Every structure is written in C-alpha cells, then in structure tokens.
Amino acid sequence: MPSARWATALGDSALAAGPRVDRDVFAWWSEMIELPVVAEGALDVELVARFAPVTDFFAIGAEIWREEDALAALRRLLAPIR
C-alpha cells in the first residue's frame, strides 16, 4: 500500500522531490485515511480535473505565481472544480 504522506507529488516542482503518484493512490488514500489528501507539483487544469474527486486540497504555487496575472491563472486552474 502507499506510504503515509500528507502531500503527494503529481508532477515535477520545487515542492515535489519524490516519485510521482497516480490517481489510484489518491483514491485509496481518500477512502482509507482520515488525514486530508493534498496534491502538489506542476498542477495544470487537466490534473486538477482528474484529481479533484480524490483530493481534499491542492497546494498551488508556481502554477499561478509565474504568470503575469496570478488571479486569472488561479481561476483557469480551478475552473474544473467550480
């Protein structure tokens, strides 16, 4: 079974030093563990849409702050879960 972590990497980023984790691990964690499931690392609209049903929180960082208009970038990134 997956190792116990509070935050799990979906892609390469400064936050994610470990291996990438697939959706099945998030689904298992979401069903079995009471601790919140946090997804981080190179998030994009597709990943947010795929992982939203099995993730409690998204750790958003460079995905919006590297953009000129961070608010617009955040809105685009979170559009699938509105």
Side-chain angles (χ1 to χ4, degrees):
M1 289 291 35
S3 63
R5 291 187 58 182
W6 289 30
T8 313
L10 295 182
D12 295 330
S13 76
L15 297 173
R20 290 185 183 176
V21 178
D22 65 22
R23 191 180 185 286
D24 292 339
V25 173
F26 277 80
W28 175 86
W29 185 279
S30 177
E31 292 175 20
M32 303 302 290
I33 306 297
E34 290 188 35
L35 291 174
V37 177
V38 180
E40 64 181 8
L43 297 172
D44 59 28
V45 173
E46 180 186 340
L47 286 173
V48 170
R50 277 186 44 219
F51 282 81
V54 294
T55 301
D56 297 309
F57 300 99
F58 288 99
I60 299 169
E63 296 87 354
I64 64 166
W65 296 118
R66 67 176 167 236
E67 302 294 327
E68 189 169 318
D69 186 344
L71 180 57
L74 178 62
R75 286 181 175 148
R76 281 190 305 275
L77 188 63
L78 299 181
I81 58 175
R82 287 186 167 181

